Amino acid sequence: LGDINIKLTKAEAESQPLKIIPGVDIRRSLKVTVEPNSEACWLFVKAEETNWPDFTDANGTARKVSYSVAAGDNGWKALENVPGVYYREVSAEDAKAGIAYYVLAGSAEHLNGVVTVSRELTKTEVNSLAGTQPKLTFTAYAVQREGIDDAAAAWAAAEN
């Protein structure tokens, strides 16, 4: 909504199907770019898991195959009461100049995004994924900032 152009991209080398291997993190440099000469906006990403493995560690607290959206002071914020949706406010200055925002949190080896695979993932768990094709899908949305005072209202507009 509004005069905003966005693009959701990943690094070309990351286009091939992924293998889930215990202890081997999966590099995913996914980013949303607000194209130059856009207007101030609310920017959203929605994460959807299909056949995503829900194996947890020995304590039952952490997933063995996991990801995090890049958060923090200058990062994405979880939209309250809407699981899997994250947002950020893009200023008029940044929108006019054009700016890219990485979606996934990184690691020491892969700064621009990673899916973490625990060393605790067992062969039995990996084999149980055969034929299910785990999939993690991200969709980007942008809504004009002018006249919309909060992220929840902007998300409601994006859904329509």
Side-chain angles (χ1 to χ4, degrees), residues 78-112:
L79 186 59
E80 195 170 316
N81 299 318
V82 187
V85 176
Y86 301 85
Y87 73 94
R88 63 188 320 132
E89 194 172 347
V90 179
S91 70
E93 181 179 277
D94 285 347
K96 183 155 184 63
I99 192 162
Y101 301 98
Y102 283 98
V103 176
L104 295 176
S107 67
E109 294 82 27
H110 308 295
L111 300 177
N112 297 328

Short mmCIF file of all heavy atoms in Angstrom, two decimals, residues 78-112:
data_model
loop_
_atom_site.label_atom_id
_atom_site.label_comp_id
_atom_site.label_asym_id
_atom_site.label_seq_id
_atom_site.Cartn_x
_atom_site.Cartn_y
_atom_site.Cartn_z
N ALA A 78 8.91 -8.73 16.87
CA ALA A 78 7.79 -9.64 16.71
C ALA A 78 6.50 -8.85 16.85
O ALA A 78 6.37 -8.02 17.76
CB ALA A 78 7.85 -10.74 17.77
N LEU A 79 5.55 -9.09 15.97
CA LEU A 79 4.26 -8.43 16.05
C LEU A 79 3.43 -9.15 17.11
O LEU A 79 3.18 -10.36 16.99
CB LEU A 79 3.55 -8.45 14.69
CG LEU A 79 2.25 -7.67 14.61
CD1 LEU A 79 2.46 -6.19 14.93
CD2 LEU A 79 1.65 -7.81 13.21
N GLU A 80 3.02 -8.43 18.11
CA GLU A 80 2.30 -9.00 19.23
C GLU A 80 1.02 -9.69 18.77
O GLU A 80 0.27 -9.16 17.94
CB GLU A 80 1.95 -7.89 20.23
CG GLU A 80 1.54 -8.39 21.58
CD GLU A 80 1.43 -7.27 22.60
OE1 GLU A 80 2.33 -6.42 22.64
OE2 GLU A 80 0.43 -7.27 23.33
N ASN A 81 0.80 -10.89 19.29
CA ASN A 81 -0.39 -11.70 19.02
C ASN A 81 -0.51 -12.20 17.57
O ASN A 81 -1.58 -12.65 17.16
CB ASN A 81 -1.68 -10.95 19.41
CG ASN A 81 -1.70 -10.62 20.89
OD1 ASN A 81 -1.33 -11.45 21.71
ND2 ASN A 81 -2.12 -9.41 21.21
N VAL A 82 0.57 -12.11 16.80
CA VAL A 82 0.56 -12.64 15.43
C VAL A 82 1.84 -13.47 15.24
O VAL A 82 2.86 -12.96 14.80
CB VAL A 82 0.48 -11.51 14.37
CG1 VAL A 82 0.29 -12.12 12.98
CG2 VAL A 82 -0.64 -10.53 14.68
N PRO A 83 1.79 -14.76 15.59
CA PRO A 83 2.99 -15.61 15.51
C PRO A 83 3.57 -15.64 14.10
O PRO A 83 2.84 -15.72 13.11
CB PRO A 83 2.46 -16.99 15.90
CG PRO A 83 1.19 -16.74 16.64
CD PRO A 83 0.61 -15.49 16.06
N GLY A 84 4.90 -15.55 14.04
CA GLY A 84 5.60 -15.64 12.76
C GLY A 84 5.67 -14.35 11.96
O GLY A 84 6.26 -14.34 10.89
N VAL A 85 5.11 -13.26 12.48
CA VAL A 85 5.16 -11.98 11.76
C VAL A 85 6.06 -11.01 12.53
O VAL A 85 5.93 -10.83 13.74
CB VAL A 85 3.74 -11.38 11.57
CG1 VAL A 85 3.82 -10.00 10.92
CG2 VAL A 85 2.89 -12.31 10.72
N TYR A 86 6.96 -10.38 11.78
CA TYR A 86 7.92 -9.43 12.33
C TYR A 86 7.84 -8.14 11.53
O TYR A 86 7.50 -8.15 10.35
CB TYR A 86 9.34 -10.02 12.25
CG TYR A 86 9.44 -11.33 12.98
CD1 TYR A 86 9.08 -12.52 12.36
CD2 TYR A 86 9.85 -11.37 14.30
CE1 TYR A 86 9.14 -13.72 13.05
CE2 TYR A 86 9.91 -12.56 15.00
CZ TYR A 86 9.56 -13.74 14.36
OH TYR A 86 9.61 -14.92 15.05
N TYR A 87 8.18 -7.04 12.18
CA TYR A 87 8.06 -5.75 11.50
C TYR A 87 9.20 -4.81 11.89
O TYR A 87 9.91 -5.03 12.85
CB TYR A 87 6.72 -5.08 11.84
CG TYR A 87 6.66 -4.53 13.25
CD1 TYR A 87 6.97 -3.19 13.51
CD2 TYR A 87 6.31 -5.34 14.33
CE1 TYR A 87 6.93 -2.69 14.80
CE2 TYR A 87 6.28 -4.84 15.62
CZ TYR A 87 6.59 -3.51 15.85
OH TYR A 87 6.56 -3.02 17.13
N ARG A 88 9.29 -3.75 11.10
CA ARG A 88 10.19 -2.63 11.42
C ARG A 88 9.61 -1.41 10.75
O ARG A 88 8.88 -1.50 9.77
CB ARG A 88 11.61 -2.90 10.97
CG ARG A 88 11.79 -3.07 9.50
CD ARG A 88 13.17 -3.54 9.06
NE ARG A 88 14.22 -2.93 9.80
CZ ARG A 88 15.26 -3.59 10.34
NH1 ARG A 88 15.36 -4.88 10.20
NH2 ARG A 88 16.20 -2.96 11.00
N GLU A 89 9.94 -0.26 11.30
CA GLU A 89 9.48 1.00 10.75
C GLU A 89 10.62 1.57 9.92
O GLU A 89 11.76 1.65 10.37
CB GLU A 89 9.13 1.95 11.90
CG GLU A 89 8.34 3.14 11.49
CD GLU A 89 7.84 3.95 12.68
OE1 GLU A 89 7.89 3.46 13.82
OE2 GLU A 89 7.41 5.09 12.44
N VAL A 90 10.34 1.93 8.67
CA VAL A 90 11.35 2.47 7.77
C VAL A 90 11.08 3.97 7.60
O VAL A 90 9.99 4.36 7.17
CB VAL A 90 11.33 1.76 6.40
CG1 VAL A 90 12.37 2.36 5.46
CG2 VAL A 90 11.54 0.27 6.58
N SER A 91 12.06 4.77 7.94
CA SER A 91 11.91 6.22 7.87
C SER A 91 11.82 6.71 6.42
O SER A 91 12.24 6.01 5.49
CB SER A 91 13.10 6.92 8.55
OG SER A 91 14.27 6.73 7.77
N ALA A 92 11.32 7.91 6.25
CA ALA A 92 11.23 8.51 4.91
C ALA A 92 12.62 8.62 4.29
O ALA A 92 12.80 8.36 3.10
CB ALA A 92 10.55 9.87 4.99
N GLU A 93 13.60 9.00 5.11
CA GLU A 93 14.98 9.16 4.63
C GLU A 93 15.55 7.82 4.12
O GLU A 93 16.11 7.76 3.02
CB GLU A 93 15.86 9.71 5.75
CG GLU A 93 17.30 9.93 5.36
CD GLU A 93 18.09 10.51 6.52
OE1 GLU A 93 18.04 11.73 6.72
OE2 GLU A 93 18.75 9.71 7.22
N ASP A 94 15.37 6.76 4.90
CA ASP A 94 15.87 5.44 4.49
C ASP A 94 15.12 4.92 3.27
O ASP A 94 15.71 4.33 2.37
CB ASP A 94 15.76 4.43 5.63
CG ASP A 94 16.82 4.65 6.70
OD1 ASP A 94 17.78 5.41 6.46
OD2 ASP A 94 16.67 4.06 7.79
N ALA A 95 13.79 5.14 3.24
CA ALA A 95 12.99 4.67 2.10
C ALA A 95 13.38 5.40 0.82
O ALA A 95 13.45 4.80 -0.25
CB ALA A 95 11.51 4.87 2.40
N LYS A 96 13.65 6.68 0.92
CA LYS A 96 14.03 7.45 -0.27
C LYS A 96 15.39 6.98 -0.80
O LYS A 96 15.58 6.83 -2.00
CB LYS A 96 14.09 8.94 0.05
CG LYS A 96 14.41 9.78 -1.17
CD LYS A 96 13.89 11.19 -1.01
CE LYS A 96 14.10 12.04 -2.21
NZ LYS A 96 13.40 11.60 -3.40
N ALA A 97 16.32 6.71 0.11
CA ALA A 97 17.67 6.27 -0.27
C ALA A 97 17.67 4.82 -0.74
O ALA A 97 18.51 4.42 -1.56
CB ALA A 97 18.63 6.45 0.90
N GLY A 98 16.75 4.02 -0.22
CA GLY A 98 16.75 2.59 -0.50
C GLY A 98 17.66 1.89 0.49
O GLY A 98 18.79 2.32 0.71
N ILE A 99 17.17 0.85 1.12
CA ILE A 99 17.97 0.17 2.13
C ILE A 99 17.54 -1.29 2.21
O ILE A 99 16.39 -1.62 1.96
CB ILE A 99 17.84 0.87 3.50
CG1 ILE A 99 18.87 0.37 4.49
CG2 ILE A 99 16.43 0.77 4.04
CD1 ILE A 99 19.08 1.30 5.67
N ALA A 100 18.49 -2.17 2.54
CA ALA A 100 18.21 -3.60 2.66
C ALA A 100 18.34 -4.02 4.12
O ALA A 100 19.20 -3.52 4.85
CB ALA A 100 19.19 -4.40 1.81
N TYR A 101 17.47 -4.94 4.51
CA TYR A 101 17.47 -5.45 5.88
C TYR A 101 17.55 -6.98 5.83
O TYR A 101 16.69 -7.62 5.21
CB TYR A 101 16.18 -5.05 6.60
CG TYR A 101 15.95 -3.57 6.67
CD1 TYR A 101 15.11 -2.93 5.75
CD2 TYR A 101 16.56 -2.79 7.65
CE1 TYR A 101 14.89 -1.57 5.82
CE2 TYR A 101 16.35 -1.42 7.71
CZ TYR A 101 15.51 -0.82 6.79
OH TYR A 101 15.30 0.53 6.85
N TYR A 102 18.57 -7.54 6.48
CA TYR A 102 18.66 -9.00 6.56
C TYR A 102 17.57 -9.51 7.48
O TYR A 102 17.23 -8.87 8.47
CB TYR A 102 20.04 -9.44 7.04
CG TYR A 102 21.06 -9.34 5.94
CD1 TYR A 102 21.89 -8.24 5.83
CD2 TYR A 102 21.13 -10.34 4.97
CE1 TYR A 102 22.80 -8.14 4.79
CE2 TYR A 102 22.04 -10.25 3.92
CZ TYR A 102 22.86 -9.14 3.84
OH TYR A 102 23.74 -9.05 2.81
N VAL A 103 17.01 -10.66 7.14
CA VAL A 103 15.88 -11.21 7.88
C VAL A 103 16.34 -12.12 9.02
O VAL A 103 15.88 -11.98 10.15
CB VAL A 103 14.93 -11.97 6.93
CG1 VAL A 103 13.80 -12.64 7.70
CG2 VAL A 103 14.37 -11.02 5.87
N LEU A 104 17.23 -13.05 8.74
CA LEU A 104 17.65 -14.02 9.75
C LEU A 104 18.85 -13.54 10.54
O LEU A 104 19.74 -12.88 10.01
CB LEU A 104 17.98 -15.35 9.09
CG LEU A 104 16.82 -16.07 8.44
CD1 LEU A 104 17.31 -17.33 7.73
CD2 LEU A 104 15.74 -16.43 9.45
N ALA A 105 18.86 -13.93 11.81
CA ALA A 105 20.03 -13.67 12.65
C ALA A 105 21.18 -14.52 12.13
O ALA A 105 20.96 -15.62 11.60
CB ALA A 105 19.71 -14.01 14.10
N GLY A 106 22.38 -14.02 12.29
CA GLY A 106 23.55 -14.73 11.81
C GLY A 106 24.30 -15.44 12.91
O GLY A 106 23.87 -15.53 14.05
N SER A 107 25.45 -15.94 12.52
CA SER A 107 26.37 -16.60 13.46
C SER A 107 27.75 -16.03 13.20
O SER A 107 27.94 -15.21 12.31
CB SER A 107 26.36 -18.12 13.23
OG SER A 107 26.93 -18.42 11.96
N ALA A 108 28.73 -16.50 13.95
CA ALA A 108 30.10 -16.02 13.75
C ALA A 108 30.60 -16.34 12.34
O ALA A 108 31.31 -15.55 11.73
CB ALA A 108 31.03 -16.66 14.79
N GLU A 109 30.20 -17.50 11.78
CA GLU A 109 30.64 -17.90 10.46
C GLU A 109 29.79 -17.31 9.34
O GLU A 109 30.26 -17.09 8.24
CB GLU A 109 30.63 -19.44 10.32
CG GLU A 109 31.62 -20.15 11.20
CD GLU A 109 31.10 -20.34 12.62
OE1 GLU A 109 29.88 -20.41 12.81
OE2 GLU A 109 31.92 -20.38 13.55
N HIS A 110 28.51 -17.11 9.61
CA HIS A 110 27.56 -16.62 8.59
C HIS A 110 26.82 -15.41 9.16
O HIS A 110 25.72 -15.55 9.70
CB HIS A 110 26.57 -17.72 8.20
CG HIS A 110 27.21 -19.01 7.79
ND1 HIS A 110 27.99 -19.12 6.66
CD2 HIS A 110 27.20 -20.23 8.36
CE1 HIS A 110 28.42 -20.37 6.55
NE2 HIS A 110 27.96 -21.06 7.57
N LEU A 111 27.40 -14.25 9.03
CA LEU A 111 26.87 -13.04 9.66
C LEU A 111 25.49 -12.64 9.16
O LEU A 111 24.71 -12.04 9.90
CB LEU A 111 27.84 -11.87 9.45
CG LEU A 111 29.24 -12.05 10.03
CD1 LEU A 111 30.11 -10.86 9.68
CD2 LEU A 111 29.16 -12.23 11.54
N ASN A 112 25.16 -12.95 7.91
CA ASN A 112 23.93 -12.44 7.32
C ASN A 112 22.77 -13.42 7.33
O ASN A 112 21.82 -13.26 6.60
CB ASN A 112 24.20 -11.98 5.88
CG ASN A 112 25.18 -10.83 5.86
OD1 ASN A 112 25.21 -10.02 6.77
ND2 ASN A 112 25.98 -10.76 4.83
#
